[in-house]
Amino acid sequence: MAAETVICIGCPLGCRVSVAVDRRGKVAGMRGARCRQGEKYVLKELREPVRTLTTTLRTADRDFPLLPVRTSRPVLKALMRDIVRETASVVVKPPVKCGQVLVSDVCGSGADLVATTDWSLRAGSRKKER
Amino acid sequence: MVERVDVAVIGAGPAGLAAAVAAREQGAERVVIIERAERLGGLLPQCIHNGFGLLYFGEDLTGPEYERMFIRKAERAKVEARLESMALDISPDLEITAVGSRHGYTKIKTGAVVLAMGCREKARGALGIPGGRPAGILTAGTCQRYVNVDGFIPGRRFVILGSGDIGMIMARRLTLEGAKVEAVVEIMPWPGGLIRNEVQCLHDFGIPLLLEHTVTFIHGETRIQGVTVTRVDRERRPIPGTERFIPCDCLLLSAGLIPENELSVKAGVELDPVTGGPLVDENRQTVIPGIFAGGNVVQVHDLVDWVSWEAEVAGRNAARFADRGGIPFREEVRVRAGENIKYVVPQFISGEEEVTLHLRVTRPGLRAALLLGGKLFKRYRSVRPSEMIIEKVDVGRLSQAIGDGELRVDCRLGEEA
């Protein structure tokens, strides 16, 4: 029997939940969660931890070199690094609208990388700084 | 020539945008935002992570998405923007002097002002760390701009001093971009930011969080070579013999934010020494008639949603002030921070209307009770200095709690709570 600890992020309480896992990977018991929602979160976190990934894609515009993006839905935690590495060579061209899909099914995650701003909101705005 | 407007807002970040929109919705004819940068949005464009807007829009947005929603609102509300213009002075009769390359030297006479300048990060000078003066020491927010907007990473091996939210978020961002974050060093026995960020930014990537540690020496002549990290005692004094050297080529500082109030002080606005922001009443008016304030310039919030909320209160009341030629500063009741309370905003209330109190505790604890005027108001399973407590109090409960022109707020910890 192995024990794992998961910290619940559902509320400021931040319960440290220790979970007993048997040899076949099944949850045998749980201790430390102060609510049912926390227990659910912990089970999900053990079975399939997912996160919304936010990162940037490159553009060819000197004044606006990066476009912020997010995954269209949470992706497996383990895929975060792969997605950032895989998309390092992607170069985005205008026009881009917020919510537009820029890379579909990124790294086989089932999620798309979508823009989180409009190109027109950014471009040209930084020229005067030089 | 002196231009005339109804409400002038200083700063175009989330607070300024929300205040300006609220002022227009309240009926102010001409609302102008004076912003020193060349665009609206403040720091939101560099905050590419999500977690914004859950309260305000009911959606989990990134910083750029939240910014876009508010710029749209401002456009629809016909808010005017005076970009690349830095407000230098506000006279007692509410004439603002601003300068900038695009508009030159301008004067704007306004019916009311909203201060929405936000806050800035504590820099090395405020922390007093001994050692050399090498390159490679920067605030977490500056690094965030380099990485997320400008497109370069200022180092390969990082140590982050302070576990504020921006520092932890940058730890994750830098790791994903291929840099190595050796440690996040926190002088307090608890993390400075939200639990969500501790788990998803540090634990997810195996980044060590060294609690009750601090940086006691910076090594390097031209470029930083590393830092000495030392354990501290309960009084936050370094314990001799616990020093260790951590090599790095970049030190990020994430050790707190300071409301940006040079302009406010010059205008005669009185500050709260604890929050670093203006003393305000429930309408977010300051002690100077017609000068209102909202957002991080008043108190450093955890969530942008509350920045927008507070700035809207300021914007609405600034419009009312401009329309009526004045509204009184409500100082009938002084709000006092009592046991285990670091501060409460607003500092003054009328006692005649429902009020929303924003407060922080000094010490964390499990099982806590919030007392208003010595009477139990609410129990919590846990309180932490890093999580602001926000409570709406109705007139009935206020009248029971107010005594001698004072509303005392206490937070009792532990079993007796």
Side-chain angles (χ1 to χ4, degrees):
Chain A
M1 200 83 87
E4 286 198 53
T5 304
V6 177
I7 298 175
C8 180
I9 60 161
C11 80
L13 221 48
C15 293
R16 295 183 75 89
V17 183
S18 58
V19 186
V21 182
D22 69 18
R23 237 175 256 139
R24 284 170 304 177
K26 282 218 164 153
V27 172
M30 198 186 292
R31 223 181 40 208
R34 292 183 182 80
C35 73
R36 282 299 307 257
Q37 266 169 305
E39 290 177 1
K40 271 197 201 157
Y41 166 83
V42 169
L43 286 178
K44 169 103 174 119
E45 187 67 10
L46 281 177
R47 194 176 64 241
E48 192 181 54
V50 291
R51 304 281 186 263
T52 295
L53 173 73
T54 61
T55 180
T56 52
L57 294 178
R58 284 199 294 154
T59 78
D61 188 324
R62 275 184 61 203
D63 295 312
F64 173 38
L66 299 174
L67 183 86
V69 295
R70 68 184 294 170
T71 52
S72 54
R73 52 188 164 99
V75 297
L76 279 179
K77 193 169 103 172
L79 280 177
M80 288 195 288
R81 282 172 198 261
D82 297 345
I83 293 174
V84 174
R85 201 176 299 122
E86 285 273 308
T87 56
S89 55
V90 175
V91 178
V92 186
K93 290 189 182 68
V96 179
K97 290 292 279 179
C98 184
Q100 184 179 328
V101 174
L102 298 168
V103 182
S104 52
D105 189 17
V106 64
C107 292
S109 65
D112 304 327
L113 274 188
V114 300
T116 57
T117 193
D118 299 328
W119 185 286
S120 57
L121 257 186
R122 293 279 187 282
S125 64
R126 299 185 54 229
K127 281 185 181 138
K128 290 226 165 154
E129 273 179 64
R130 298 233 164 83
Chain B
M1 195 196 78
V2 179
E3 223 184 315
R4 286 179 185 276
V5 303
D6 297 303
V7 174
V9 178
I10 320 282
L17 290 169
V21 171
R24 281 284 297 140
E25 283 171 354
Q26 186 67 34
E29 198 64 38
R30 272 199 80 188
V31 178
V32 173
I33 302 182
I34 302 168
E35 165 61 47
R36 68 184 172 197
E38 67 297 327
R39 57 185 309 284
L40 302 172
L43 290 183
L44 287 170
Q46 71 185 51
C47 304
I48 63 164
H49 54 279
N50 57 317
F52 298 84
L54 279 163
L55 299 175
Y56 196 95
F57 293 109
E59 273 185 82
D60 186 12
L61 302 172
T62 64
E65 289 168 322
Y66 192 89
E67 170 215 11
R68 183 173 166 273
M69 301 276 250
F70 266 96
I71 291 179
R72 283 267 175 92
K73 274 163 84 94
E75 282 169 0
R76 278 199 298 270
K78 301 204 163 47
V79 167
E80 296 172 46
R82 180 73 46 88
L83 300 174
E84 291 178 77
S85 210
M86 173 120 171
L88 293 182
D89 197 49
I90 306 168
S91 74
D93 60 342
L94 305 184
E95 192 173 282
I96 299 169
T97 308
V99 291
S101 51
R102 204 193 293 190
H103 303 279
Y105 176 91
T106 52
K107 287 205 180 264
I108 299 175
K109 177 87 175 76
T110 181
V113 179
V114 179
L115 305 172
M117 293 89 77
C119 57
R120 59 164 173 260
E121 296 172 284
K122 270 188 196 166
R124 183 180 176 186
L127 301 173
I129 312 161
R133 291 285 178 277
I137 305 167
L138 51 158
T139 63
T142 301
C143 181
Q144 187 180 44
R145 181 182 164 125
Y146 289 158
V147 176
N148 292 346
V149 177
D150 298 330
F152 56 89
I153 301 179
R156 290 193 180 84
R157 293 178 85 175
F158 288 78
V159 169
I160 301 177
L161 175 60
S163 57
D165 287 311
I166 315 169
M168 295 201 282
I169 285 164
M170 281 318 292
R172 168 176 65 188
R173 184 80 188 111
L174 289 163
T175 306
L176 281 170
E177 287 294 341
K180 172 97 177 108
V181 178
E182 300 290 344
V184 174
V185 182
E186 171 60 53
I187 195 165
M188 302 301 282
W190 50 79
L194 305 173
I195 286 175
R196 170 175 86 185
N197 287 329
E198 187 191 342
V199 171
Q200 299 198 342
C201 299
L202 304 186
H203 300 183
D204 273 8
F205 297 94
I207 298 166
L209 171 62
L210 305 177
L211 296 173
E212 298 187 280
H213 280 76
T214 193
V215 170
T216 50
F217 201 83
I218 292 171
H219 303 263
E221 289 297 319
T222 52
R223 181 80 196 186
I224 183 168
Q225 303 295 315
V227 291
T228 298
V229 170
T230 309
R231 181 179 278 281
V232 298
D233 65 17
R234 285 195 163 183
E235 271 77 52
R236 288 185 253 159
R237 288 172 309 212
I239 303 171
T242 63
E243 299 89 355
R244 79 172 115 142
F245 178 76
I246 302 181
C248 64
D249 63 5
C250 212
L251 173 67
L252 296 191
L253 308 175
S254 179
L257 300 163
I258 311 165
E260 189 146 348
N261 276 296
E262 283 69 15
L263 182 65
S264 327
V265 170
K266 239 171 106 185
V269 168
E270 199 182 325
L271 302 188
D272 179 328
V274 182
T275 58
L279 294 169
V280 289
D281 69 3
E282 63 211 48
N283 299 324
R284 293 303 186 272
Q285 187 165 206
T286 68
V287 298
I288 303 291
I291 301 187
F292 295 76
N296 284 347
V297 79
V298 172
Q299 52 178 331
V300 177
H301 291 264
D302 306 337
L303 300 176
V304 72
D305 307 64
W306 283 108
V307 167
S308 303
W309 177 90
E310 183 171 54
E312 283 176 352
V313 173
R316 259 196 311 275
N317 286 296
R320 283 177 57 222
F321 186 102
D323 181 43
R324 298 178 192 183
I327 54 174
F329 181 67
R330 305 305 300 256
E331 54 184 334
E332 292 89 330
V333 180
R334 173 85 219 226
V335 183
R336 291 243 179 250
E339 181 188 332
N340 196 31
I341 300 286
K342 195 168 172 206
Y343 69 77
V344 188
V345 171
Q347 292 87 350
F348 295 95
I349 58 172
S350 63
E352 293 161 11
E353 281 172 58
E354 180 183 271
V355 69
T356 301
L357 299 178
H358 291 240
L359 55 105
R360 283 188 197 278
V361 297
T362 312
R363 284 171 289 118
L366 294 175
R367 301 169 70 101
L370 186 67
L371 285 75
L372 297 183
K375 296 178 191 74
L376 177 70
F377 179 77
K378 191 173 174 182
R379 288 181 203 281
Y380 306 87
R381 294 161 94 174
S382 143
V383 291
R384 288 155 55 100
S386 59
E387 313 257 356
M388 190 187 278
I389 296 173
I390 298 158
E391 295 296 348
K392 215 184 252 185
V393 189
D394 62 33
V395 183
R397 309 228 25 197
L398 273 182
S399 63
Q400 288 168 15
I402 293 169
D404 282 340
E406 188 180 291
L407 173 66
R408 192 186 150 94
V409 183
D410 300 285
C411 180
R412 207 165 283 161
L413 292 183
E415 289 309 315
E416 78 266 36

